[in-house]
Amino acid sequence: MLRKSVYSLAAVIAGLGAAFAGSAGAHAADAAPTTAAAKTACVTDAKLVPSCNVLWGAAAGGFTGKPRDMELRNWEKLSGRTSTIFHTYHKGDEKFPTPGEIAMSSDPAHPRVLLMNWRVEYGSNWRNVAAGKLDHRIDAFAARVKSTYADKKFFLILNHEPEDDVRPAAGSGMTAKDFRASFRHVIQRLRAEGVDNMVSVVAYMGNEKWMAQSWWKDLYPGDDVTDWIGLDSYVSAEPGYYHHGLFGDLVNRRAPGGAGFYDWAVKNHKSKPIMMAEWGAYHRINRVFDKSAQFNSVLPELAKRPAIKAIVYFDTKKDQFGDRDISINSSARSLATFKKLAANPLFNVKIG
């Protein structure tokens, strides 16, 4: 695809799954939680896990070259909800968090948490990162965080969607085990340098093609260096097109004979919250299809999958290949349905 909570959600939005099954999701986005959890102030803990409900976020303006902070503000106005998570992307020696990112997360009226995505290995490879050959990048980032951003928690993803970058040949420097070693080295070094406001995320593609590879199991960095498990996954609103389906399909794709991604994560890493670090519904450019079914399917699936504690939409009119529209407003009806989803109190969470 793209290149680059103590309370049970089932209790929070009880009955939505059945409603969706009976009506293809026609009314799911209109339903609002009415339980005690919905009336409780949901707050995040030291690892940014909400005590109840689900964190809401976005990355907007992808592949446009426009300032991401400006694009996110526009997207928030369009969708009707301020994002709790602001997903940004960086590589190599880029200096971040940027002034714009700091300003977005320092807005007193609408504080946002940064989800910073960093390809440390850019221009090199994972083996060199693990060997310490790019420690100057890690150390510079640590120093910058401690001097400009020490007072706020933030999420850090290292090389999202690593499956697409794996080169399994021995000596490539980009094997799955190289990724694991690289991830471990960066997180451990940042922690050793006193970056204690970082919450680490490993973000997979969760594509059945990659999950079927013998090396896929070697990617996971280890519970000791992983705070959240992330997933970047998309679904088509266009019948008959690649990965046509609903929200439940994108969170739990499975290799033939294997477990779905969500099932794998909750079975093997029970203590780890799951983040949809990127998600979206698409159709091909100039072939507009209503995305209401996809957007209406979100709440029932979250009710069935309580380990998902955050969802972050990736919005763009054109993906990196220029052939898919992942925007929420590709049609008026799609936007209206998404706005109903965004308005749901399930996404009311206060940053602690």
Side-chain angles (χ1 to χ4, degrees):
M1 277 299 300
L2 295 176
R3 283 299 302 127
K4 350 242 185 236
S5 322
V6 173
Y7 294 102
S8 167
L9 290 178
V12 175
I13 45 178
L16 283 178
F20 176 75
S23 61
H27 305 294
D30 295 317
T34 58
T35 64
K39 301 176 182 179
T40 301
C42 299
V43 298
T44 55
D45 64 12
K47 295 296 184 182
L48 293 173
V49 181
S51 59
C52 52
N53 289 355
V54 177
L55 293 168
W56 175 268
F63 309 108
T64 65
K66 297 180 180 179
R68 289 296 182 97
D69 53 346
M70 178 186 73
E71 288 296 288
L72 182 66
R73 289 186 186 277
N74 292 337
W75 188 87
E76 290 172 339
K77 292 177 182 178
L78 184 66
S79 65
R81 177 182 284 272
T82 300
S83 295
T84 307
I85 297 175
F86 175 24
H87 194 167
T88 67
Y89 299 81
H90 298 282
K91 58 184 182 292
D93 293 312
E94 291 180 5
K95 294 179 172 57
F96 67 99
T98 66
E101 292 166 357
I102 294 173
M104 289 288 279
S105 62
S106 303
D107 183 339
H110 301 292
R112 304 169 183 86
V113 174
L114 290 180
L115 171 59
M116 297 188 287
N117 206 318
W118 186 22
R119 294 194 59 175
V120 183
E121 89 300 340
Y122 185 75
S124 184
N125 60 50
W126 294 328
R127 182 177 56 190
N128 285 341
V129 174
K133 295 181 179 180
L134 298 178
D135 281 355
H136 61 282
R137 289 181 178 175
I138 303 169
D139 297 347
F141 175 69
R144 193 159 52 249
V145 168
K146 289 189 290 184
S147 64
T148 66
Y149 209 71
D151 60 334
K152 294 180 180 66
K153 293 280 184 180
F154 66 91
F155 291 110
L156 182 66
I157 295 175
L158 300 176
N159 200 141
H160 73 310
E161 305 175 12
E163 299 101 312
D164 211 27
D165 292 320
V166 167
R167 303 294 177 262
S172 69
M174 295 291 285
T175 68
K177 290 181 179 179
D178 288 327
F179 170 77
R180 180 175 62 194
S182 169
F183 191 107
R184 292 187 61 81
H185 178 76
V186 175
I187 298 304
Q188 289 173 337
R189 190 169 182 89
L190 289 173
R191 288 176 177 174
E193 295 198 15
V195 182
D196 54 10
N197 53 332
M198 168 190 65
V199 178
S200 64
V201 185
V202 56
Y204 293 87
M205 295 178 78
N207 184 293
E208 61 271 29
K209 170 185 175 180
W210 300 129
M211 294 178 71
Q213 302 302 311
S214 60
W215 47 256
W216 190 83
K217 65 182 183 301
D218 295 326
L219 289 168
Y220 188 69
D223 283 354
D224 59 327
V225 294
T226 305
D227 296 320
W228 286 63
I229 293 176
L231 175 63
D232 294 0
S233 188
Y234 298 79
V235 70
S236 170
E238 182 177 345
Y241 191 56
Y242 181 68
H243 277 163
H244 173 63
L246 301 176
F247 190 78
D249 297 303
L250 68 87
V251 302
N252 206 37
R253 291 199 176 104
R254 67 187 66 239
F261 184 89
Y262 178 90
D263 295 339
W264 164 82
V266 296
K267 177 182 178 181
N268 294 282
H269 309 287
K270 296 179 181 179
S271 66
K272 303 303 175 183
I274 296 173
M275 170 191 296
M276 300 306 302
E278 289 181 11
W279 76 278
Y282 62 84
H283 52 68
R284 281 177 287 182
I285 302 297
N286 299 324
R287 298 191 182 195
V288 178
F289 287 83
D290 180 23
K291 299 173 181 176
S292 292
Q294 285 69 40
F295 296 154
N296 277 333
S297 68
V298 173
L299 293 178
E301 288 299 328
L302 290 179
K304 294 187 293 186
R305 305 182 192 278
I308 299 176
K309 305 298 186 184
I311 62 172
V312 183
Y313 199 89
F314 188 96
D315 190 286
T316 183
K317 288 295 184 182
K318 292 183 179 181
D319 69 359
Q320 73 174 115
F321 304 110
D323 61 353
R324 294 173 185 166
D325 184 331
I326 315 173
S327 65
I328 61 174
N329 63 335
S330 55
S331 74
R333 185 176 175 185
S334 295
L335 178 59
T337 305
F338 191 86
K339 291 177 72 172
K340 289 181 180 179
L341 171 64
N344 197 282
L346 177 66
F347 306 112
N348 295 345
V349 179
K350 180 180 179 180
I351 303 303

